[in-house]
Amino acid sequence: MAHHQPTRGEPRVALVTCSALPDLDPDDRLVLAPLAARGVAAEAAIWDDPAVDWSGYDLVVLRSPWDYPLRRDEFVAWAQAVPRLANPVDVVGWNTDKRYLAELSAAGVPTVATAWIEPGETWALPADSGEYVIKPAVSAGSQDTGRYDLADPEHRELAASHVRRLTAAARVAMVQPYLSAVDTAGETALLFLAGPGGLAFSHAIRKGPMLTGPDLGVAELYRAERIDRRTALPDQLAVAQLALAAVPGGPDRLLYARVDLIPGPDGAPVLVELELTEPSLFIGYADSAPDRLAAAIAAHLARRS
């Protein structure tokens, strides 16, 4: 395949979204003006729209294609056909199945303990009466995710039903202890953007608790979140760097990354997700973050020209 060279005029960038958000998530729209100021023409494009000519873009940036979880194979096949994709397609294939957490744990990254239930397997409910989170291994935006107090007989039944519902649909279920610190300290998301020396820390936000109870099978594209600014702590940044260093192919190929952490039982941060495919980047919550994202996109364009 011939190496693509931008044609005369402004470089063109597609910001990939889904049909439910044809004009992008409001946070993502904040990057449009800084890109235009750099002479970059950016526009929203729906990932499964057959009318889109992906080869006509100088860079295709995954942003909010949040309807892919039930069509993950189709989504990855689409990504493989896109010539200039960020983040790279092999990372997308790896990161859209949360079983990557097992790989990161094996690599020494402090990670929330997770049990995996494959289709056809039976889940033995934990004997203890703690709280647990159940979700599918392929999901986005807390879709199909529930919180269960196993001291409650009704919750035990609902938890077992949730796992059966997922595995009956040929989906892998994951079961994790609910980390109670999320109710007080919240969840910290560390945002990284490509810079001159590779992926660099940009900003951090705090997400308040979102899971209030069982998942009852109601479809949602994403759940509303309470977001606040947060200052990253050294131990959080250290865990983030460990996780990023374990990404297949290394972190320097990435345009962006989001590392989600919650204090574990001992108070030390543990990884709950490493989001490299379509994370909200919360650029509206940090001074100059929209400009940093625009600079990262411009740098990726320069690298590919």
Side-chain angles (χ1 to χ4, degrees):
M1 182 182 294
H3 194 70
H4 179 80
Q5 297 290 339
T7 54
R8 264 179 299 162
E10 295 180 328
R12 297 182 66 217
V13 170
L15 300 177
V16 180
T17 185
C18 59
S19 58
L21 294 167
D23 297 318
L24 301 172
D25 179 72
D27 191 69
D28 288 326
R29 288 199 289 270
L30 298 175
V31 78
L32 295 175
L35 283 172
R38 286 174 163 77
V40 176
E43 60 191 45
I46 296 169
W47 75 270
D48 57 352
D49 181 351
V52 177
D53 176 14
W54 300 104
S55 66
Y57 292 102
D58 299 281
L59 186 65
V60 176
V61 179
L62 289 165
R63 289 310 320 121
S64 50
W66 294 333
D67 59 356
Y68 78 82
L70 294 179
R71 295 186 288 156
R72 186 246 180 183
D73 290 347
E74 179 187 344
F75 179 71
V76 173
W78 164 81
Q80 289 169 337
V82 174
R84 293 164 291 279
L85 187 69
N87 281 329
V89 65
D90 60 309
V91 171
V92 170
W94 178 77
N95 190 241
T96 49
D97 186 325
K98 291 182 175 60
R99 283 177 285 186
Y100 70 77
L101 288 170
E103 294 182 35
L104 295 181
S105 178
V109 180
T111 304
V112 60
T114 306
W116 310 92
I117 301 95
E118 303 278 345
E121 291 183 347
T122 301
W123 177 48
L125 273 76
D128 66 62
S129 58
E131 287 192 278
Y132 287 83
V133 173
I134 296 172
K135 57 187 171 183
V138 178
S139 67
S142 296
Q143 297 173 38
D144 302 305
T145 300
R147 171 182 172 183
Y148 302 89
D149 181 356
L150 298 189
D152 181 332
E154 182 181 3
H155 274 225
R156 291 185 74 85
E157 280 296 319
L158 289 170
S161 175
H162 189 171
V163 170
R164 286 195 301 270
R165 185 168 70 247
L166 293 174
T167 57
R171 304 175 79 184
V172 176
M174 49 193 294
V175 181
Q176 300 170 323
Y178 184 78
L179 299 177
S180 60
V182 75
D183 294 328
T184 51
E187 180 176 326
T188 299
L190 306 183
L191 287 305
F192 293 78
L193 299 171
L199 202 64
F201 174 70
S202 170
H203 58 286
I205 59 95
R206 176 192 183 274
K207 294 194 286 182
M210 291 170 45
L211 299 178
T212 56
D215 175 71
L216 301 178
V218 179
E220 296 176 287
L221 185 65
Y222 59 91
R223 297 187 185 184
E225 299 173 311
R226 177 179 172 176
I227 308 299
D228 300 291
R229 297 186 182 209
R230 169 159 278 180
T231 299
L233 300 175
D235 59 348
Q236 294 171 332
L237 290 166
V239 172
Q241 294 295 350
L242 272 178
L244 292 169
V247 173
D252 288 344
R253 299 184 302 145
L254 303 178
L255 174 63
Y256 53 71
R258 196 180 92 197
V259 183
D260 294 343
L261 305 170
I262 296 175
D266 64 354
V270 297
L271 179 77
V272 288
E273 287 204 37
L274 174 60
E275 302 225 31
L276 308 177
T277 302
E278 33 58 39
S280 294
L281 297 175
F282 304 112
I283 56 176
Y285 291 87
D287 296 340
S288 302
D291 200 62
R292 286 195 292 276
L293 179 56
I297 291 172
H300 257 56
L301 283 167
R303 187 186 307 176
R304 292 169 178 269
S305 63

